[in-house]
Amino acid sequence: MSLGTSKAVFQVLSRAVSQTGYNEPRVNSSDLSLHSRFGVKCMTKRLSRHRALIVCSSMLQSRLRTYQFQWMGVSLHDYNKTYSRPWLKTCKCQRAESASGITSGDGNVSRLLNDVETSNSASNVMGTKHILDFENVKDPQLKQEEVLSSNVTNGAIRDSFDTSIEEEAWDLLRESVVYYCGNPIGTIAAKDPTSSNILNYDQVFIRDFIPSGMAFLLKGEYDIVRNFILYTLQLQSWEKTMDCHSPGQGLMPASFKVRTVPLDGDDSATEEVLDPDFGEAAIGRVAPVDSGLWWIILLRAYGKCSGDRSVQERVDVQTGIKMILRLCLADGFDMFPTLLVTDGSCMIDRRMGIHGHPLEIQALFYSALLCAREMLTPEDGSADLIRALNNRLVALSFHIREYYWIDMKKLNEIYRYTTEEYSYDAVNKFNIYPDQISPWLVEWMPNKGGYLIGNLQPAHMDFRFFSLGNLWSVVNSLATVEQSHAILDLIEAKWSDLVAEMPFKICYPALDGQEWQIITGSDPKNTPWSYHNAGSWPTLLWQLTVACIKMKRTHIAAKAVEIAERRISRDRWPEYYDTKRSRLIGKQSRLYQTWSIAGYLVAKLLLADPSKANILITEEDSELVNALISANPRGKRGRKNLKQTYILSDTFKSMKQEVWSYNLMKEYVYKVKGSSSR
Ligand code: GLC
């Protein structure tokens, strides 16, 4: 184990030791025998799959200190052969099958199967009506879609017409709850009785739980969210490797599973284990950068909604926040303030050409920085972190607002760009060749409206519209007020592309032909207008709703919800829809996908009481605005001036100012002032 790792481990251990008042994994030295028994089990797991388990045990009450030091002292080789977890907890659950909530033999599955069977006779009637509901389409491809759609409307209908869609959604959401030692700790990704290929959809995904958690918060059911926050925090601290390499400490898993395993030597008893996946088992081995960012956002929402600030104030939670921040704020080779990530590190977790600086990650990163700043308790030793956080907020906001923004005016500027500029004042800083403006963009860009592009790299702008990044930039004020309105203007103008028959396209347009072959690696799941490649994802309804509420344009979200209601329940809550106008249930879409259900519920709850959206919204950061307004550069513009002392010189010191120029700063201050007075 490297020194760095040992240090990080020590931090984690100290953090855990200082926890109070929560029934979390504990081991003491008197439990050594049990512990080593379990340790052997862990070792086997690690050797075979490079992963390990946390075991919940009511028998083990305090942490095993001696074990910690033993663990910290071993070599990497020994470490890989020995235990991987510094603390363990075992829960002897005599009837764990019924409590785990994820066993295949549960009543819900058979009830749903019954639903499918009993509703088949009624489905033809529904199908006919459904086709009649479609508006006339002229495009030949769309006509084909219409024909095809008649074959896919044979979905089960709800067993009772007098049950409202909302009630049905609540029932399904509750049935998706996963328990750990009797406590609710999350929701399963999908509970599809019609699918034999479960893959990892029987796990609790961090990102998928956010709308579930929000629905429970809005309903006043706080326990599940609190448990989720605290248990996933424990998973964060785990050592994880892929072929002997560990990602940075602070990474949150993409998902975890509660496994019920027989207790050795006792046939009548079982124990439950939490088994996380940090990407080391995930398809493509992608590390989920978004998990930790969402975790921070949920933590703040929990505090604001429940009024219980004690969770965010806990030492271990504070350390957890800092670990995520340190991982994100660590210096690298970057010239940009945006986070550099691999393809598939967020909701789009397969190769889709979004490696680099994808908007979704930047928007979540910005939110996480703002939320963390609100929650961090001041203490000695965190001043540097807070300074780095503030610096990054300013730089990130400037960078995204300035360089990711596109509308008709900007498009025209890019179209006429001069290239190969070598200077500090270059207009075309990233050396974008106008030829990369695709014909679809020129056609598509409305006169009124604009959006943040998907990605920006040297000599490369990804002009695709990515919904989550844009919506979340409205929610957290990463986009200016003017830009936020323009994004909603664009959504309205492009309704038939982005919403059509089911909200909401994950991105637009689809990659096609050779581009699809090269960029996705000929991925058969991401064919044009399917899945991540411009498929439609009902879960995005909740983010759309929060964005609309923030901008006081709730009618847009209400319209989208109404469209979803026409078929989402009848179609059995699919994960995603395919085709240009989202007419078909996705080719490989799961049914009863929990975040489709929860996303709908959150949208409904928020539309019923828009003030509740405040737990997710972050307003224009007045400190950031003031920082820029009070920046008072003296003398002439140009690189030399950047070396002068500004009123807020501390804030700007480490911002890699070479990429900034005074004129842009001035322009930015003007824009910020202008937009906030709108
Ligand atoms: C798919 C989605 C991902 C989601 C997961 C579980 O992999 O791409 O965003 O978290 O399914 O629903």
Side-chain angles (χ1 to χ4, degrees), residues 8-56:
V9 168
F10 183 72
Q11 280 171 355
V12 173
L13 296 175
S14 326
R15 167 177 103 192
V17 167
S18 58
Q19 288 177 187
T20 52
Y22 182 64
N23 181 25
E24 59 148 16
R26 284 165 196 213
V27 180
N28 71 26
S29 50
S30 62
D31 298 317
L32 250 175
S33 57
L34 187 64
H35 187 255
S36 41
R37 175 192 56 74
F38 180 71
V40 172
K41 191 190 308 178
C42 278
M43 180 184 74
T44 318
K45 289 276 181 196
R46 285 194 65 80
L47 289 177
S48 58
R49 295 185 295 138
H50 294 288
R51 67 202 307 203
L53 309 171
I54 194 166
V55 178
C56 151

Side-chain angles (χ1 to χ4, degrees), residues 189 201 205 207-208 346-349 531-532 537 575 593 595:
Y201 283 86
F205 277 74
R207 73 174 74 84
D208 293 39
C346 52
M347 178 183 181
I348 296 179
D349 55 0
Y531 201 46
H532 300 136
W537 292 65
E575 180 188 16
Q593 180 82 19
W595 69 350

Side-chain angles (χ1 to χ4, degrees), residues 537-548:
W537 292 65
T539 188
L540 292 169
L541 259 183
W542 77 273
Q543 286 109 339
L544 172 72
T545 305
V546 186
C548 292

